């Protein structure tokens, strides 16, 4: 399962990570988000120990969604050394996400 990231834990989990981080910005009411969620959980298992995979519920945690200009969900951001290095807006196949993580590894 992907980590549940909140505004309170975002800096520690994402920005200070020594590994690449995939962050899925989502909401419970979003249909495409529900399609992406199992893919993100699958990736979480496959990249355990190599990358951090997490989700931010934008309804409950708006600070970092706003900071990174997330206007449409799902939006997946890839962070490396605390910086955004790639993004995917809208639902995409699993390979689109894994290619972005692999490029950041």
């Amino acid at each position: 399962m992907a980590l549940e990231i909140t505004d309170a834990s975002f800096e520690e989990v994402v920005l200070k990570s020594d590994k690449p981080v995939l962050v899925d910005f989502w909401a419970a009411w979003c249909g495409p988000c529900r399609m992406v969620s199992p893919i993100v959980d699958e990736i979480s298992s496959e990249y355990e120990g190599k990358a951090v995979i997490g989700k931010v519920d934008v309804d409950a945690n708006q600070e970092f969604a706003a900071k990174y200009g997330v206007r449409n969900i799902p939006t997946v951001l890839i962070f490396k050394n605390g910086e955004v290095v790639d993004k995917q807006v809208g639902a995409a196949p699993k390979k689109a996400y894994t290619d972005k993580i692999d490029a950041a590894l």
Side-chain angles (χ1 to χ4, degrees):
M1 289 290 292
L3 277 174
E4 195 59 53
I5 300 171
T6 64
D7 285 344
S9 67
F10 195 94
E11 191 171 327
E12 194 62 41
V13 173
V14 179
L15 303 181
K16 293 182 178 175
S17 176
D18 58 351
K19 298 180 179 87
V21 185
L22 177 149
V23 181
D24 173 21
F25 290 87
W26 70 284
W29 49 263
C30 162
C33 298
R34 289 196 297 271
M35 291 165 37
V36 169
S37 187
I39 296 170
V40 171
D41 286 338
E42 228 175 86
I43 292 169
S44 174
S45 300
E46 291 171 16
Y47 283 82
E48 195 167 332
K50 293 189 278 184
V52 177
I53 312 298
K55 299 177 183 186
V56 174
D57 179 342
V58 298
D59 286 339
N61 303 280
Q62 299 174 354
E63 180 185 342
F64 287 94
K67 180 176 179 180
Y68 291 104
V70 174
R71 288 183 178 77
N72 300 306
I73 52 174
T75 291
V76 170
L77 300 180
I78 308 293
F79 289 82
K80 185 172 183 175
N81 301 321
E83 299 291 321
V84 176
V85 294
D86 211 340
K87 79 189 280 184
Q88 172 68 47
V89 179
K94 181 179 174 184
K95 183 165 172 29
Y97 304 112
T98 55
D99 285 352
K100 291 177 189 310
I101 299 169
D102 290 343
L105 285 173

